[in-house]
Amino acid sequence: SCFMMGHGAEFVKFCNNRRQFPAGMSDLVHSFIKLFLAMTILCGELPAASECPELRTGQTLPARVSSGGGRACFDVTVENGEQTQLSVEQSEDLALTAVTGATRMVTDAFEFGKETLTILTPGRYRIEVSPADAPLHSPLPFLMLRRALPLQLAQKWREAEILGTASKRTGKLEDVSASLLLWKDVEDESAIARTYLQQGDAMLNASDFRAAQTAYEEALGKCRSLADPRCTAEAANTSGFAGFRLGDPEASSRLREAASLWRSLKLRSFEGRTLNNLGLMHWQSGDFEQALAVLDEARQIVRGHEAIVYAQVLNNLGLCYQSLAENEKAVAYFESALAVFTSKHRPAVRARLNLGRSYMLLGKLKRAEAVLRLAFEEAVRISDPAARADVLNNLGQVLLGLRQGDRAKAHLTEALALQRLVRSKRGEAVALHYLGIEASQRNDIEAARQWLAQAAQIRRESSLRDDASESLLALAGLEYDAHDPVAARDLAGQAIALIESLRGKLPSAALRATYYARKRRFFDLFTDIAMTSAATGDGTAGLLASEQAHGRSLLDQIIGGAITGPIPRELLDRRTHLRRQIDFISFRLADANPRLDQELENLRRRIKLLLSEYDQVDSEIQQAAHGSHLGRPLASVAELQAALPADCALLEYYLGERQSYLWVVQASGTQSFRLPSRAVIERLALRTVNRFGAILERRRAPQAQHAFEADLRELSSILLGRLAGTHLPPRLVLVLDGVLNRIPIAALRPSWAHEDLGLAFDLIQVPSAAYLLVAKPPRAVHAFPRSVLAVADPVFAADDPRFAVPPPVTRPSSLPRLPFTGELSILESLLPPGRIRILRGFDATPLDLRRDRLEDFAVLHFSTHTFIDDRVPELSRVALSLVDRAGRPADGYLHPYQFAEFQLNRSIVVLSSCETALGKEVLGEGLAGFANSLFSAGASQMVLTSTKVDAESSSAFFGEVYRRFFGAEANGMESSLRQARRVLARSTRWSDPYYWAPFMVVGCPSGRR
């Protein structure tokens, strides 16, 4: 009733001055006002837009602005000698208009907070309140207050309102600065604070980030003193953003403060924008784990509500994946962002710039240049000097890659001047770094040192650890080429220490793997330096250096620990929802018409986005469920020698950019050998693999067979020829690298050997030497309740003859049936019925597989088709039955992430199918695919294939394997494979290595513990 009786003015005055209430009381009063307004709206007591109640001096009236642009209005009479002021507290941007006759006065000085309209002239006025810009999403209740002012003060207020309205619309710095002086003259602290915000915005638009930050900090101090959370949130957010652009590490505290305030104010879209800025800040500092987590939260908040902000978040997620060397995922994010932006949106130029950079990092330099040229034109059109500077930086890098040094230098020099003009330390350091690279390409070593040293200093001072590591590496390379190994080792060590400090900031083992692959140059140089400057000739220092790049992510998965804590329900639900989407789209992708390139590309882009979101959710589950223990690299050769079984020697390969290496470690000592560069070995290895698989051509054409044998001899000589004088024990533990994971290494035959490597030695492959320190060997078969779970001969289509009543066939299967299951007959003859379970035909489904306790089986055997996706390894899949007994399509594919969810107890998993060892090549990690998933599920060994295999010979091969493994000799799996190879190699039908060499054991050597 106090509102209706004219006492509301005093009430609202106390409400607005929150310092006059005890702690918490002002929130209670504001809640009461909101409750009153809500009740009056529901009861229909507020005036309709067509009715204009009389507003008298000293009175406060409630009203509302409706959605769809509806206005509220009041009638005001100003008597002679009276000056009056109308004010409204706006949570969204409102404009006040006074109409009398043909005269209209408008005030729209601020986007939030108190808006005033002062009337100096007597008369009868209609006061209208309307949305200042966009229509409202829902009705907005507010209170309108009228008060009297003395003439001189009223005149000052009106001048401030007029200039404030004009400056808000023009956004010009001179207008805002003049407006600020007028607000200071009327001593309105709230208006002063909000005008400082506008001043910061004007300076930000002029790319004067330092001045913008100063203005925002002025606003922040005043907003805090006013105890105005909305104003404080705005100031903290914008100050944090300006600090982010300046490379100020303290900016993150401002952004966190703003996000917390937005959340308390329940302004979720604003919270999403601030989290977007905070995510960028974490990305800039190299804290990729926090960046992805914060941006994922922002994405969830703004998705479906703020299209442009959502596109900005997608762009920033793309930046994170770009930094982690997941450039195909990054491209998908940038393209998705550009699908939302139009040329009128300023962020579009950034998304296009980032897209061009991803193409550059993928090696598509011409395409990158075209995209970046378009981005430059857009940056010029919208007068964005900061964007122009960044585009020029990237164009300079592309031109360096295209060996156009003069043009690159011109672009980078222009970029450097612009970056300094806009005061971007990060951008300045980028320009300096690549000017140093350009100088080094011209052999101007002194200039290169100066440029790179400046870049490294700025990057370190700005806490840009990832960027600083790149400049330090380039400096190390200069010193190494200048034959100063001491300085080179020190600089390379500093660079690797920086990326090791970022290691724990990467949210998943998979992303750590790709990040380390992007940093492979670091380990190449570090290993070269160690091998050059080692005091001893055995190369142990080089081995320890190379181990820092081998198998690190898999070590993390193995020692990460079991789940020890509860998993939040919301995360589990999100993961389930994402899996369903991934499964659905991957099923569509498998079924898509291969001739429709655009359809395939769209599906791939969608699934890349879903997979990156799935990675983030999985990372959050891991963090919630258990600690993030990380594996360490090998510390000494002595601990490796202690872990090696007595009958084993370790052969570790490292393929370097300048030089490759082989180390042989035995209990008696260590040897090292130099090999050709990675490029030389890759060319020969890929040619050998291609000819190895072309068995029909080799059978028909003797010259093709001779070429294959010549390549195999040359590759054998390079990889094994230096071991002629080395005594090797019967078991070899192999640490392969890069393309070597693709070759059938069992088929190599060095000149000093009497037979192929896989016939003479038991072979087992491990991801790194350090793996031997933490991995556990397979448990003995008798320690398991059951021996074998076999999945074989699935049903792929409704035209399969196993249907009793053939259903209608809509389309024949593209997968041939695999009826060769002779190894199962051998297993059934060797094992008691209760020790073996076979899922075949319609029972070979993921559902039937999950019904069994997989940890009860010593061996899991899969004999079916496998599809390997080298670009997106998560889309690789093993095909089980794809139709049910009624002929209806069923999702019978098993993806790597589903294998990772198996609960195994140091079991052996056999994937008798084509190329099951393959996947996306990740330098230092081998081939990401099924192997890592099964290791993380608890497998101790896997039997995989490195090339395509013949179904019938595979069945024969595994029949021989299981005779030895489950027979009286009870050999280990690696020994059983060697003996099976010997049987097939000596046969008439299967003697070609195509039939027996692709099979390999990956994991821990048998019987070590």
Side-chain angles (χ1 to χ4, degrees):
S1 62
C2 68
F3 289 106
M4 306 308 295
M5 295 176 66
H7 301 293
E10 288 74 24
F11 188 75
V12 173
K13 179 179 178 182
F14 277 94
C15 287
N16 289 333
N17 191 350
R18 306 181 84 174
R19 291 169 296 172
Q20 299 184 34
F21 290 91
M25 183 63 75
S26 58
D27 291 322
L28 182 62
V29 173
H30 275 271
S31 297
F32 173 77
I33 294 172
K34 292 178 181 177
L35 178 60
F36 174 81
L37 291 173
M39 290 176 64
T40 52
I41 290 171
L42 290 172
C43 296
E45 294 178 6
L46 292 179
S50 59
E51 301 172 0
C52 299
E54 185 76 25
L55 180 62
R56 298 179 178 84
T57 302
Q59 188 179 22
T60 299
L61 291 180
R64 66 181 176 190
V65 179
S66 64
S67 57
R71 303 180 175 204
C73 66
F74 305 88
D75 286 335
V76 171
T77 301
V78 182
E79 304 293 344
N80 287 327
E82 182 185 11
Q83 298 80 43
T84 195
Q85 186 180 78
L86 307 163
S87 64
V88 60
E89 281 289 339
Q90 53 180 3
S91 59
E92 298 192 44
D93 196 359
L94 300 176
L96 306 184
T97 304
V99 182
T100 178
T103 304
R104 293 175 65 88
M105 295 183 294
V106 179
T107 298
D108 178 23
F110 301 107
E111 293 181 357
F112 68 93
K114 186 174 69 174
E115 193 77 79
T116 64
L117 190 155
T118 305
I119 301 175
L120 306 174
T121 307
R124 178 82 172 165
Y125 294 87
R126 174 188 169 96
I127 309 300
E128 297 177 347
V129 183
S130 59
D133 196 357
L136 302 172
H137 296 297
S138 59
L140 176 68
F142 64 90
L143 297 173
M144 176 64 80
L145 167 69
R146 179 181 176 186
R147 67 168 181 160
L149 288 180
L151 176 60
Q152 187 174 3
L153 181 58
Q155 289 173 334
K156 291 181 179 180
W157 269 99
R158 187 59 195 145
E159 289 175 9
E161 290 163 0
I162 292 170
L163 189 50
T165 300
S167 64
K168 180 194 172 194
R169 292 178 178 177
T170 66
K172 293 181 178 178
L173 181 58
E174 57 269 26
D175 293 341
V176 177
S177 298
S179 173
L180 180 61
L181 293 175
L182 292 179
W183 289 120
K184 287 181 176 179
D185 197 26
V186 301
E187 300 180 352
D188 186 290
E189 290 298 306
S190 175
I192 293 169
R194 288 175 290 157
T195 307
Y196 271 123
L197 289 175
Q198 293 174 343
Q199 188 178 63
D201 292 345
M203 292 166 171
L204 200 66
N205 287 334
S207 297
D208 191 345
F209 302 114
R210 182 66 65 192
Q213 187 185 42
T214 300
Y216 292 138
E217 285 294 305
E218 286 281 353
L220 183 59
K222 292 189 176 295
C223 295
R224 284 173 173 166
S225 68
L226 291 167
D228 184 338
R230 169 71 185 271
C231 183
T232 306
E234 293 274 2
N237 178 59
T238 47
S239 175
F241 179 74
F244 156 69
R245 294 305 304 269
L246 288 166
D248 180 0
E250 295 301 315
S252 61
S253 65
R254 292 283 186 262
L255 295 172
R256 281 192 292 270
E257 178 184 5
S260 177
L261 287 166
W262 293 132
R263 193 174 302 117
S264 67
L265 292 165
K266 294 183 172 54
L267 294 172
R268 296 287 282 168
S269 63
F270 288 87
E271 181 189 356
R273 297 180 189 189
T274 296
L275 290 173
N276 180 43
N277 292 337
L278 182 59
L280 266 180
M281 182 79 189
H282 287 307
W283 163 75
Q284 186 186 69
S285 63
D287 191 344
F288 301 115
E289 180 177 27
Q290 280 296 313
L292 287 168
V294 169
L295 289 170
D296 182 64
E297 187 178 357
R299 169 170 56 183
Q300 293 179 65
I301 290 171
V302 301
R303 180 160 41 195
H305 302 289
E306 298 268 349
I308 300 306
V309 181
Y310 180 62
Q312 290 175 306
V313 174
L314 292 179
N315 172 74
N316 297 336
L317 281 164
L319 284 173
C320 290
Y321 284 102
Q322 186 184 81
S323 296
L324 295 170
E326 290 280 1
N327 286 298
E328 290 186 344
K329 285 184 181 177
V331 165
Y333 274 110
F334 298 139
E335 288 179 342
S336 296
L338 284 167
V340 178
F341 291 135
T342 66
S343 57
K344 71 178 181 179
H345 294 128
R346 293 180 70 87
V349 67
R350 291 283 171 184
R352 201 173 309 281
L353 157 63
N354 297 330
L355 178 62
R357 179 168 180 77
S358 283
Y359 283 136
M360 175 184 72
L361 295 172
L362 287 168
K364 301 175 181 180
L365 299 182
K366 287 295 185 182
R367 190 169 184 180
E369 183 180 12
V371 172
L372 290 169
R373 294 288 179 200
L374 182 57
F376 185 77
E377 293 172 6
E378 291 176 352
V380 171
R381 185 169 62 251
I382 63 175
S383 301
D384 188 338
R388 280 171 47 212
D390 289 341
V391 174
L392 287 168
N393 267 342
N394 283 274
L395 274 170
Q397 295 170 55
V398 169
L399 293 170
L400 283 175
L402 292 170
R403 297 294 176 181
Q404 299 180 27
D406 290 341
R407 293 179 65 205
K409 183 179 180 181
H411 281 73
L412 292 166
T413 302
E414 184 182 354
L416 180 61
L418 274 173
Q419 299 287 7
R420 286 171 170 166
L421 180 67
V422 301
R423 296 178 173 83
S424 172
K425 285 295 184 183
R426 182 186 179 92
E428 179 184 356
V430 171
L432 289 167
H433 177 90
Y434 284 100
L435 281 167
I437 299 299
E438 187 277 330
S440 69
Q441 289 182 356
R442 290 186 287 106
N443 292 319
D444 189 345
I445 304 303
E446 192 53 43
R449 279 197 187 101
Q450 292 178 11
W451 291 122
L452 291 167
Q454 289 181 63
Q457 181 178 354
I458 291 173
R459 287 170 161 179
R460 278 186 151 172
E461 290 173 351
S462 301
S463 298
L464 303 175
R465 288 176 290 172
D466 187 52
D467 292 344
S469 69
E470 294 286 345
S471 296
L472 289 167
L473 176 74
L475 283 166
L478 286 178
E479 301 306 334
Y480 181 73
D481 291 337
H483 306 293
D484 188 347
V486 175
R489 184 172 61 248
D490 177 60
L491 289 163
Q494 292 180 49
I496 287 178
L498 283 175
I499 63 173
E500 284 288 339
S501 73
L502 294 171
R503 176 170 161 72
K505 303 295 185 182
L506 303 176
S508 70
L511 290 178
R512 282 193 287 275
T514 52
Y515 176 73
Y516 264 50
R518 183 168 71 86
K519 299 295 184 180
R520 177 60 181 243
R521 296 170 293 110
F522 289 61
F523 301 103
D524 284 355
L525 182 60
F526 196 52
T527 303
D528 286 339
I529 294 169
M531 292 296 289
T532 300
S533 57
T536 60
D538 62 4
T540 55
L543 173 61
L544 297 178
S546 80
E547 270 288 299
Q548 294 198 56
H550 266 135
R552 299 291 298 280
S553 73
L554 182 57
L555 288 179
D556 297 343
Q557 290 174 277
I558 293 172
I559 73 166
I563 291 178
T564 58
I567 302 174
R569 180 79 251 169
E570 183 269 336
L571 289 177
L572 289 175
D573 290 343
R574 278 187 67 199
R575 184 170 69 176
T576 300
H577 178 66
L578 286 167
R579 283 177 179 171
R580 287 172 181 163
Q581 293 185 74
I582 291 168
D583 290 345
F584 173 73
I585 296 177
S586 62
F587 187 77
R588 283 189 59 195
L589 190 62
D591 206 40
N593 188 337
R595 296 180 181 178
L596 300 178
D597 292 342
Q598 191 58 49
E599 179 188 0
L600 288 171
E601 193 55 40
N602 289 340
L603 288 171
R604 282 184 175 276
R605 183 170 69 182
R606 284 181 62 193
I607 208 160
K608 285 173 189 174
L609 299 180
L610 289 169
L611 286 167
S612 64
E613 190 171 350
Y614 181 87
D615 281 345
Q616 180 54 38
V617 172
D618 208 43
S619 171
E620 292 177 36
I621 288 174
Q622 294 295 322
Q623 292 172 42
H626 57 65
S628 56
H629 302 290
L630 299 182
R632 65 172 179 84
L634 190 67
S636 72
V637 173
E639 66 178 348
L640 170 60
Q641 290 170 319
L644 268 175
D647 63 343
C648 287
L650 180 131
L651 276 62
E652 177 156 337
Y653 289 89
Y654 187 92
L655 303 186
E657 186 176 4
R658 308 174 188 227
Q659 183 118 50
S660 300
Y661 303 96
L662 164 64
W663 294 272
V664 180
V665 181
Q666 300 187 66
S668 57
T670 303
Q671 296 173 275
S672 64
F673 306 95
R674 295 177 183 269
L675 307 178
S677 70
R678 182 190 307 143
V680 170
I681 293 175
E682 280 181 345
R683 281 194 296 270
L684 178 59
L686 290 174
R687 193 169 70 227
T688 304
V689 169
N690 290 335
R691 286 176 171 165
F692 178 88
I695 185 167
L696 294 180
E697 180 183 352
R698 290 194 280 113
R699 281 179 170 172
R700 289 193 296 262
Q703 65 271 25
Q705 179 67 21
H706 292 323
F708 164 66
E709 291 174 355
D711 285 344
L712 199 59
R713 281 194 300 272
E714 184 179 359
L715 187 61
S716 300
S717 175
I718 289 174
L719 297 179
L720 299 168
R722 304 291 300 278
L723 300 179
T726 302
H727 173 73
L728 294 174
R731 279 202 291 179
L732 302 182
V733 181
L734 306 172
V735 182
L736 304 179
D737 193 21
V739 73
L740 299 185
N741 290 281
R742 295 183 179 274
I743 66 173
I745 203 158
L748 296 181
R749 180 184 288 187
S751 58
W752 48 265
H754 299 296
E755 55 186 348
D756 296 338
L757 195 71
L759 306 180
F761 297 93
D762 293 349
L763 304 178
I764 186 161
Q765 185 177 334
V766 295
S768 70
Y771 168 82
L772 294 173
L773 307 182
V774 297
K776 296 181 179 180
R779 296 169 68 211
V781 173
H782 62 76
F784 289 88
R786 307 176 79 177
S787 297
V788 175
L789 172 63
V791 182
D793 196 13
V795 181
F796 298 127
D799 60 353
D800 192 289
R802 284 171 285 182
F803 279 100
V805 178
V809 177
T810 56
R811 188 170 62 180
S813 172
S814 59
L815 300 179
R817 183 182 174 185
L818 298 173
F820 301 104
T821 56
E823 72 272 29
L824 302 187
S825 300
I826 292 173
L827 283 170
E828 288 176 309
S829 69
L830 292 169
L831 298 171
R835 299 284 298 179
I836 184 171
R837 174 163 166 73
I838 299 176
L839 299 175
R840 70 170 96 217
F842 293 109
D843 295 326
T845 70
L847 182 61
D848 285 286
L849 186 64
R850 294 187 187 102
R851 286 175 177 155
D852 283 291
R853 283 175 49 87
L854 301 184
E855 63 268 33
D856 287 349
F857 292 92
V859 175
L860 276 69
H861 178 96
F862 293 84
S863 179
T864 182
H865 290 292
T866 299
F867 301 89
I868 302 298
D869 193 313
D870 287 353
R871 293 172 57 192
V872 187
E874 298 90 343
L875 294 184
S876 299
R877 56 205 183 275
V878 170
L880 303 189
S881 288
L882 301 179
V883 291
D884 64 15
R885 284 179 166 82
R888 294 170 300 204
D891 184 2
Y893 290 115
L894 282 176
H895 297 89
Y897 79 80
Q898 292 166 309
F899 277 104
E901 292 170 350
F902 286 3
Q903 293 185 9
L904 307 179
N905 191 4
R906 292 164 56 190
S907 310
I908 299 173
V909 180
V910 177
L911 294 182
S912 174
S913 184
C914 296
E915 302 175 327
T916 49
L918 302 191
K920 180 179 180 180
E921 186 173 321
V922 182
L923 282 173
E925 291 291 338
L927 298 158
F930 294 111
N932 280 12
S933 298
L934 288 165
F935 271 134
S936 65
S940 278
Q941 286 186 350
M942 286 155 281
V943 181
L944 307 173
T945 56
S946 58
T947 66
K948 294 185 181 300
V949 295
D950 176 81
E952 188 176 1
S953 64
S954 296
S955 178
F957 179 84
F958 280 108
E960 298 298 331
V961 168
Y962 290 134
R963 286 183 199 277
R964 275 86 187 161
F965 187 76
F966 289 111
E969 298 177 13
N971 291 316
M973 186 57 74
E974 53 267 50
S975 178
S976 298
L977 256 73
R978 177 178 61 83
Q979 294 180 57
R981 290 189 199 106
R982 296 177 72 89
V983 171
L984 265 69
R986 292 169 180 171
S987 71
T988 303
R989 186 177 182 186
W990 311 119
S991 59
D992 192 285
Y994 174 83
Y995 297 109
W996 51 260
F999 303 99
M1000 55 199 292
V1001 181
V1002 180
C1004 189
S1006 301
R1008 188 166 57 86
R1009 294 183 185 140

